[in-house]
Each structure stands twice: as C-alpha cells, then as structure tokens.
Amino acid sequence: DMFDEGSGGELHSKAEAVHSSSMLSYNFFHWIDGNNPFEWDGVTYTQVSFEVKMKTIEDSNAPANMDVVLIDKDKKHLLFIESKFTEYTETKKFKLSDSYKDEKQWLNPNVAWGKVVDYKPENHKYKEGIKKLITHLFGIHSQFIEPCDRFKDIDFSSVQMKFITLIFEPSKENFVEEHNAYEDYHKLFTDFIGKIGYADGLKVVPEWVSYSALWQKMKDQMPEDLQKYLGERYMKFAQRYD
C-alpha cells in the first residue's frame, strides 16, 4: 500500500527490475517493527515507512519521494534514507526547475535555499543525484511547515533528524567500472556537501553511507533467514568491510 501511494507506480514498473534501488531498500528494512527493532548510531528504530511523499515547493505537484523513513518508539528521531543501487553508473544531467530559485515558492523560508540551489555540478557523470538531494532537502524541511500525512502525529519542533544517502558499493575487484562510477559520485556528493555547508536554517544535510557499512551493523539484528537471503542476493557482490 505504501508503494502504491507513492508517485510513478514504482511497484509495478521500476521495482520489477533486478537492480531496483527501491526493492534493495525494502528488502533491507521491511522487517523493522516494535518486536524487531533496529539500532543505528545510538537510536533504536521501531517503525518503517516506504515511498514517503513530501511537498517541496508551493506550486509543485511533484513531491519528493523518500525511499525509506525510520522512526523511533517515542517519535523523537527520524532517519530519512535515499537508496541508490546502480543509478550512479548512468550519465544523467542536472535539471532543477527554476521554481526552486523563486523565494515565493519556498514552503520553509527559514532556510537560505539560495546557497543550495545555486550549486552547479561539474565534470561528473551522475549529476541527477544532486538534483534529487536538493529536492529531498526541500521536502524534509517542508515538514516543519506542512507535515505529510505519515507525520501528522510528530512534533517537528523537537524531533531529531538525519538524512543519509545509502549507496550500494560494488566490489572494486570484480566490478571495476562500476566501482569507479561509485567513487566518481562520491566525489561529486562530497563537493556538494562542502559547497552548501551548513546553510542558515538547514536542519539536516545528507550523509554518505554504503550498504556495506550498514550491513556490518544490521546483519546480526535481523532474522537469520533474511540475513542469508540478503547475503546471497546482494552482499556477495558488494565491497567487503571485515
């Protein structure tokens, strides 16, 4: 039901692909609930939502779709997760609507968005990734003004939030070209974060986390049969961190 509520009919199109980043994140996070919590970075999460639609700017009907959002028991911590599988191997242009530069369109005017939207990605392959980071940042910060239906019972005046770009890192020994593309996008991401810095009013900035790093913390917390499945389905192809 969550996927059907999302934009673009993801479940009945892209999700059917063997390299679907949506299914990658679903397979990793769907097991989390009150009886099966997940501890990450000092917070214990007990609720998971997928394909969370968040309004970005005033006149846009195209919401930001967050792949995963984890919530703790007391609803004091939110972890926004953007999942990437092989997208960074593609050449995609940076196309951000001019509406994002119009101050009248900003739902949350308390952020110095000019510093964010003026960023220009150069000399990198997967420029579209930066465009999605920007729209996700708009979506996250709009929750302080106009929370989406899934977050109606959350007090955004006191909640602590994090936003991670969760990237599948292919084995650099077995997938040289793909790993080089991963490194290229990492450089672009790092440059973006360095340039926008902590713009005034920006409550959260994206952090880079690989599925390999997540795997080391998560695998022993999940059901054993799921750990085996994910190991065979994904992680035997990933860069290892033993």
Side-chain angles (χ1 to χ4, degrees):
D1 289 343
M2 290 182 186
F3 277 89
D4 283 338
E5 289 175 3
S7 303
E10 182 85 13
L11 187 61
H12 310 287
S13 56
K14 296 178 182 178
E16 296 178 358
V18 69
H19 60 290
S20 166
S21 60
S22 293
M23 288 300 96
L24 173 66
S25 60
Y26 175 81
N27 287 335
F28 266 79
F29 293 100
H30 73 275
W31 58 276
I32 298 170
D33 59 26
N35 295 319
N36 300 280
F38 169 54
E39 190 277 328
W40 172 262
D41 201 19
V43 179
T44 300
Y45 297 99
T46 59
Q47 182 180 335
V48 58
S49 287
F50 297 97
E51 290 295 306
V52 178
K53 294 193 295 185
M54 301 178 295
K55 189 172 178 62
T56 55
I57 54 178
E58 288 285 359
D59 294 339
S60 175
N61 293 319
N65 285 267
M66 189 63 63
D67 293 315
V68 185
V69 180
L70 299 184
I71 307 173
D72 72 331
K73 180 180 178 181
D74 297 324
K75 299 181 180 179
K76 295 296 185 183
H77 296 83
L78 296 181
L79 178 61
F80 295 89
I81 302 173
E82 176 195 42
S83 174
K84 297 290 185 188
F85 199 170
T86 62
E87 290 92 334
Y88 50 80
T89 64
E90 305 171 10
T91 300
K92 291 289 187 69
K93 296 180 180 180
F94 179 85
K95 295 181 179 179
L96 184 69
S97 169
D98 288 339
S99 296
Y100 282 89
K101 298 181 179 181
D102 182 356
E103 295 183 16
K104 296 178 181 178
Q105 295 293 324
W106 297 348
L107 278 168
N108 188 340
N110 301 315
V111 179
W113 289 115
K115 190 173 183 180
V116 178
V117 298
D118 286 343
Y119 179 79
K120 295 292 188 296
E122 303 289 347
N123 304 319
H124 290 277
K125 189 173 184 178
Y126 183 58
K127 298 182 178 69
E128 185 183 64
I130 301 301
K131 178 259 184 183
K132 290 188 175 182
L133 287 175
I134 291 174
T135 56
H136 283 337
L137 284 171
F138 270 85
I140 291 171
H141 287 81
S142 74
Q143 300 309 295
F144 292 97
I145 309 299
E146 192 175 319
C148 65
D149 290 341
R150 304 241 193 121
F151 300 151
K152 290 298 185 183
D153 57 348
I154 290 178
D155 180 7
F156 278 89
S157 66
S158 61
V159 72
Q160 296 185 42
M161 302 186 302
K162 287 192 174 183
F163 173 27
I164 66 172
T165 292
L166 186 59
I167 312 283
F168 185 83
E169 180 179 2
S171 166
K172 59 185 176 183
E173 293 181 359
N174 299 319
F175 303 100
V176 175
E177 183 177 346
E178 291 82 359
H179 194 273
N180 286 340
Y182 169 91
E183 292 287 359
D184 182 70
Y185 184 49
H186 189 195
K187 291 177 182 177
L188 175 57
F189 176 93
T190 302
D191 184 69
F192 172 66
I193 299 304
K195 293 291 174 56
I196 68 170
Y198 286 86
D200 289 345
L202 205 60
K203 301 290 187 181
V204 58
V205 294
E207 300 176 30
W208 182 280
V209 178
S210 73
Y211 268 95
S212 297
L214 173 77
W215 181 241
Q216 294 304 309
K217 298 290 186 181
M218 176 181 274
K219 63 181 180 180
D220 292 329
Q221 300 185 53
M222 63 174 57
E224 187 175 344
D225 59 341
L226 179 59
Q227 179 186 143
K228 182 178 180 181
Y229 171 77
L230 295 175
E232 288 295 314
R233 175 69 177 81
Y234 299 109
M235 299 314 297
K236 72 177 183 180
F237 306 109
Q239 182 64 27
R240 297 182 61 179
Y241 292 97
D242 293 329

